[in-house]
Amino acid sequence: MKVTAEGSSTTGTVRPFGLDCSGMVDWVFYNQSGGQYVIGHGGGATAQHSYCAPIAWGDAQPGDLVFYPGDSHVGIVCGFDSSGNIMVIHCASGANNVVVTGKSGFTSIGRPEYFAD
């Protein structure tokens, strides 16, 4: 399917299910919330980042979002490895789509407003 995330560098490309990194994050929040919430409101990683409060890396929890410089890529903290290192799930176009990796390349982290209360 064709990616239709306005403002995303992958708009117009063909990807499995039409999802790029920000589309996958929107899809996760949409499904987790029973269809009630889309974190970026369809606006890509930059919009998703704008709906997050900055936090310290040491405060990371599953569900927090991590970003490459310039919001060029986004992922979701999904847990920690056996050494306590952050693990990130993200849709990586160069790595066969959805992958779980460490935080290498991600330079900022934020807690989605969705979790605020």
Side-chain angles (χ1 to χ4, degrees):
M1 293 182 69
K2 190 179 285 190
V3 175
T4 59
E6 191 172 324
S8 171
S9 63
T10 58
T11 294
T13 63
V14 176
R15 302 289 306 266
F17 305 103
L19 297 176
D20 60 2
C21 61
S22 62
M24 186 208 75
V25 170
D26 277 347
W27 180 86
V28 167
F29 275 82
Y30 177 83
N31 282 283
Q32 184 281 329
S33 69
Q36 299 299 307
Y37 187 75
V38 176
I39 186 168
H41 306 281
T46 299
Q48 291 169 343
H49 204 168
S50 74
Y51 289 98
C52 291
I55 62 169
W57 285 101
D59 294 332
Q61 296 179 20
D64 290 335
L65 300 188
V66 292
F67 301 89
Y68 271 21
D71 296 337
S72 62
H73 189 57
V74 61
I76 305 171
V77 174
C78 62
F80 304 89
D81 67 14
S82 60
S83 298
N85 299 308
I86 294 171
M87 300 301 296
V88 177
I89 187 167
H90 55 110
C91 191
S93 60
N96 220 7
N97 300 308
V98 177
V99 295
V100 175
T101 66
K103 69 174 193 158
S104 180
F106 294 99
T107 58
S108 61
I109 183 169
R111 175 132 324 126
E113 291 176 356
Y114 178 78
F115 298 120
D117 271 348

